[in-house]
């Protein structure tokens, strides 16, 4: 007669502890526990576990420090130094590229430069004329050749 | 040990950053260039004209003028630098004060392998034209010009150049600032010949 209830006892014990059994179901369970030693021990065990769980203190959250060996700290510093060195080399090269590469002149600057270059060439023409020298006839080149030949031993 | 490694890396960083400008600073002048600053011919704050054009902008000038003035553009394409300093000379006394500096500049040029193409002196006006040659090619032109009562000028044109071509183009350029100089009969622009 009790056999079928023994199979149900673990589930009924849980429901009983949670206060979810009806009065009739609770009365029937208690009657069975009183008569069945095995189910009675199950109930006693469940009550004990519940009591002990409630007796536990709440655990505060805490940071567990990550164990770092001295070798690890050293390698981190080495990596940091290497990163800084790479940054320095890269930065220097980039800086040099920026310095070496001339900024693209804006259009008005090029127009101004054109005017200045024309002025310079016109000045060369003017000075050549004033010196009584017609640069066009290649006199300069001949004089240069003459000067070079007289320099030779 | 680790601390010294770290310091070493920092030191390397500082050396690299500090050394970069120094590497650039020791770059030598082009063969046809002259150091205007070292010659110190004219007081910098009293120049009436100062022109400093270098390779990149000269190439852009060449590109800009290619269609309208191909001859001028071709000359510009071959140049590395154009530098001009013009200093006003109010009277003969100013020119006399300048003479030692001119002589020093002429010596500087001759000591460094520049060939004198023109040394003209007439009625107080002086003109020196020097050319620098490298590997059989003219790579620099320097003009020193003194006109008492008018101005003195130092011009340096650097790059592969043909003086005859420069003169021809120069004569044909219409520059209002230079019109007061009266051209001699044989120096009229080609178009008028």
């Amino acid at each position: 007669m009790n056999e079928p209830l023994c199979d149900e006892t673990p589930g009924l014990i849980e429901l009983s502890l949670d206060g979810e059994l009806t009065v009739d179901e609770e009365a029937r369970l208690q009657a069975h526990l009183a008569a069945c030693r095995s189910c009675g021990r199950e109930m006693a065990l469940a009550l004990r576990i519940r009591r002990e769980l409630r007796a536990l203190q709440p655990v505060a959250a805490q940071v567990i420090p990550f164990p770092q060996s001295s070798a690890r700290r050293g390698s981190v510093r080495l990596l940091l130094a290497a990163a800084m060195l790479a940054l320095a080399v890269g930065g220097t090269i980039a800086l040099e590229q920026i310095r070496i590469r001339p900024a693209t002149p804006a259009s008005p600057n090029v127009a101004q430069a054109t005017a200045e270059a024309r002025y310079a060439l016109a000045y060369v023409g003017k000075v050549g004329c004033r010196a009584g020298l017609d640069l066009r006839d290649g006199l300069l080149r001949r004089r240069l050749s003459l000067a070079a030949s007289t320099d030779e031993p | 040990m680790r601390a010294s490694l770290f310091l070493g890396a920092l030191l390397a960083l500082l050396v690299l950053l500090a050394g970069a400008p120094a590497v650039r600073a020791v770059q030598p002048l082009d063969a046809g260039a002259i150091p205007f600053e070292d010659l110190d011919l004219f007081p910098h704050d009293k120049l009436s004209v100062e022109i400093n054009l270098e390779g990149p902008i000269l190439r852009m000038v060449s590109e800009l003028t290619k269609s309208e003035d191909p001859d001028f553009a071709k000359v510009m394409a071959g140049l590395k630098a154009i530098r001009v300093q013009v200093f006003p000379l109010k009277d003969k006394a100013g020119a006399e004060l300048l003479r030692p500096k001119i002589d020093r500049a002429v010596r500087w040029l001759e000591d460094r392998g520049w060939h004198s193409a023109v040394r003209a002196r007439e009625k107080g006006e002086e003109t020196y034209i020097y050319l620098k040659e490298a590997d059989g090619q003219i790579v620099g032109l320097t003009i020193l010009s003194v006109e008492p009562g008018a101005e003195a000028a130092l011009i340096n044109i650097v790059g592969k150049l043909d003086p005859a071509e420069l003169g021809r183009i120069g004569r044909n350029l219409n520059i209002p600032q230079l019109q007061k100089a009266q051209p001699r009969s044989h120096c009229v622009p080609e178009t008028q010949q």
Side-chain angles (χ1 to χ4, degrees), chain B residues 59-169:
Chain B
R59 282 194 289 278
M60 294 200 75
V61 168
S62 173
E63 285 297 315
L64 190 75
T65 55
K66 195 182 284 181
S67 56
E68 64 173 86
D69 192 345
D71 289 343
F72 176 78
K74 190 179 169 188
V75 169
M76 289 297 110
L79 299 184
K80 291 182 177 177
I82 295 177
R83 294 194 72 181
V84 177
Q85 287 187 346
V86 178
F87 174 65
L89 285 177
K90 290 178 184 171
D91 48 32
K92 286 186 178 178
E96 283 304 313
L97 287 173
L98 204 56
R99 172 164 295 286
K101 288 189 172 183
I102 296 285
D103 290 344
R104 196 183 64 200
V106 165
R107 274 199 306 276
W108 188 96
L109 288 165
E110 291 179 349
D111 288 349
R112 283 159 183 80
W114 287 75
H115 295 298
S116 168
V118 173
R119 290 178 73 120
R121 190 174 293 173
E122 186 181 359
K123 296 175 185 174
E125 293 182 356
E126 293 181 43
T127 304
Y128 303 86
I129 301 178
Y130 279 83
L131 296 167
K132 185 69 178 282
E133 199 179 5
D135 300 326
Q137 199 157 25
I138 296 170
V139 294
L141 167 74
T142 295
I143 290 179
L144 275 160
S145 164
V146 182
E147 295 176 74
E151 60 193 18
L154 174 62
I155 301 171
N156 181 215
I157 298 181
V158 186
K160 290 178 182 173
L161 54 90
D162 178 357
E165 183 72 356
L166 280 186
R168 185 180 70 78
I169 292 169

Side-chain angles (χ1 to χ4, degrees), chain A residues 69-130:
Chain A
S69 67
S70 59
R72 183 181 167 83
R73 282 198 298 275
S75 63
V76 167
R77 281 186 183 170
L78 191 61
L79 279 173
L80 187 62
M84 288 180 74
L85 193 60
L87 194 66
V89 172
T92 305
I93 290 168
L95 197 63
E96 279 302 286
Q97 288 299 316
I98 290 166
R99 283 176 179 166
I100 291 166
R101 189 186 307 136
T104 306
S107 182
N109 290 349
V110 178
Q112 172 73 18
T114 303
E116 291 178 353
R118 286 184 192 279
Y119 176 93
L121 261 58
Y123 212 111
V124 171
K126 176 192 126 172
V127 171
C129 287
R130 203 188 62 223

Side-chain angles (χ1 to χ4, degrees), chain A residues 135-153:
Chain A
L135 297 172
R136 183 182 40 194
D137 64 8
L139 180 58
L140 276 181
R141 187 172 284 283
R142 285 204 298 277
R143 287 193 185 190
L144 178 71
S145 304
L146 188 64
S149 62
T150 54
D151 286 349
E152 290 170 6

